[in-house]
């Protein structure tokens, strides 16, 4: 069983930056494909960024060039650096760990981009 503590969300103005962190316990994250997802009310949860255990990355089209996912297996933590934030990035952001058919989810952290 993997448990997460997500942090770093908050209110930021358009064009600003935030860095989300997802610290895990209960299992070594090095065994999992890690990802950040986001969801707004009334819409499906969507992939923001993913990173494999050998550091291959993929990003949703709307965040390419602005967001960067990284992982520190020694700290059992995954990060999402978000730059040039836009109002449409407003959502609850969730950390995910996946291995085969097993998925673990964090509780989410709110990101609000507004002037």
């Amino acid at each position: 069983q993997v448990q997460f503590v997500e942090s770093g969300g908050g209110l930021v103005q358009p064009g600003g930056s935030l860095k989300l962190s997802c610290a895990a316990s209960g299992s070594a994250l090095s065994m999992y494909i890690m990802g950040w997802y986001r969801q707004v009310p009334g819409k499906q949860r969507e992939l923001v960024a993913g990173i494999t255990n050998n550091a291959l990355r993929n990003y949703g089209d709307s965040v390419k060039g602005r967001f960067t996912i990284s992982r520190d297996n020694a700290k059992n933590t995954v990060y999402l650096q978000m730059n040039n934030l836009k109002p449409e990035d407003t959502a609850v952001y969730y950390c995910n760990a996946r291995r085969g058919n097993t998925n673990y989810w964090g509780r989410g952290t709110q990101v609000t981009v507004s002037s």
Side-chain angles (χ1 to χ4, degrees):
Q1 186 79 11
V2 181
Q3 295 179 324
F4 300 112
V5 176
E6 296 150 319
S7 60
L11 173 65
V12 64
Q13 291 186 342
S17 298
L18 285 174
K19 185 174 185 177
L20 305 183
S21 298
C22 172
S25 61
S27 185
L29 288 188
S30 58
M31 298 190 296
Y32 296 87
I33 296 171
M34 299 301 301
W36 285 96
Y37 289 72
R38 67 188 182 188
Q39 189 170 23
V40 297
K43 292 190 175 182
Q44 286 191 332
R45 194 170 293 188
E46 65 172 357
L47 174 69
V48 176
I51 185 168
T52 68
N53 46 13
N54 58 352
L56 295 176
R57 297 170 173 85
N58 66 299
Y59 297 93
D61 287 341
S62 63
V63 307
K64 285 179 181 176
R66 299 188 297 123
F67 291 11
T68 302
I69 189 171
S70 61
R71 65 193 299 164
D72 186 335
N73 289 335
K75 295 183 178 179
N76 231 26
T77 302
V78 176
Y79 305 96
L80 184 68
Q81 176 68 47
M82 306 185 293
N83 297 328
N84 191 21
L85 282 159
K86 303 176 181 181
E88 51 264 42
D89 295 318
T90 296
V92 178
Y93 284 71
Y94 297 90
C95 183
N96 171 266
R98 178 168 60 87
R99 185 183 183 194
N101 292 325
T102 300
N103 272 278
Y104 297 105
W105 292 94
R107 290 191 171 188
T109 183
Q110 176 70 46
V111 172
T112 302
V113 185
S114 176
S115 55

